[in-house]
Amino acid sequence: FLAAHVRRTDHATAVPVRLQTPDIEFEALCDAHPDCSIYLATDNAETRAKFVRRYGPRVKLGCTMRSTSALRKTSLQEAVIDMFVCVASNMFIGSHGSSFSDTIVFLRRMHNTDNPSDRHKIMA
């Protein structure tokens, strides 16, 4: 399976739009591997709905979205689960400028689960 960490909820203010990983990059990797399930790590309802519409039953969701005015829509425990599922994936694509995606890449390297097909550059 491939895993995608799509950071959107608070990313708009944390990282300039021109530096964010655009949806087309996530879609390109998912489209290039039509036989792979997609584990989606996101706390953004719009992103979640978009992936489910586009990829249907290929999308696997680990977190429960909470209806709240708070910025965080998932629990810390669910974020940790997302992280380790992403580490265990066959391929990974992360969000540029996200320390969460960076941590996943570091852990993938440490556990030898990284793959030349991975699509995430650690922000220096």
Side-chain angles (χ1 to χ4, degrees):
F1 71 99
L2 70 88
H5 170 235
V6 185
R7 184 174 173 195
R8 293 287 183 257
T9 304
D10 65 337
H11 218 61
T13 57
V15 175
V17 173
R18 65 182 171 74
L19 296 178
Q20 293 179 19
T21 306
D23 288 350
I24 195 166
E25 287 188 33
F26 293 101
E27 293 163 358
L29 185 64
C30 294
D31 292 347
H33 300 280
D35 296 331
C36 286
S37 294
I38 303 161
Y39 184 85
L40 182 62
T42 189
D43 71 347
N44 185 282
E46 184 179 318
T47 297
R48 182 181 281 218
K50 182 177 182 177
F51 268 75
V52 169
R53 272 193 311 273
R54 185 175 178 117
Y55 299 108
R58 288 179 60 198
V59 177
K60 310 302 178 198
L61 305 166
C63 295
T64 304
M65 299 286 292
R66 287 170 181 69
S67 182
T68 176
S69 61
L71 196 55
R72 176 167 284 287
K73 308 294 184 201
T74 59
S75 72
L76 181 58
Q77 291 87 346
E78 289 170 320
V80 171
I81 291 167
D82 275 351
M83 181 178 292
F84 284 101
V85 172
C86 290
V87 169
S89 67
N90 300 102
M91 284 174 277
F92 174 70
I93 182 169
S95 292
H96 183 73
S98 166
S99 60
F100 190 85
S101 287
D102 291 351
T103 300
I104 291 166
V105 169
F106 284 127
L107 290 170
R108 286 176 63 75
R109 289 177 185 166
M110 286 175 48
H111 293 282
N112 294 315
T113 58
D114 57 331
N115 180 318
S117 296
D118 288 354
R119 297 288 177 262
H120 181 72
K121 292 182 181 154
I122 296 173
M123 192 169 173

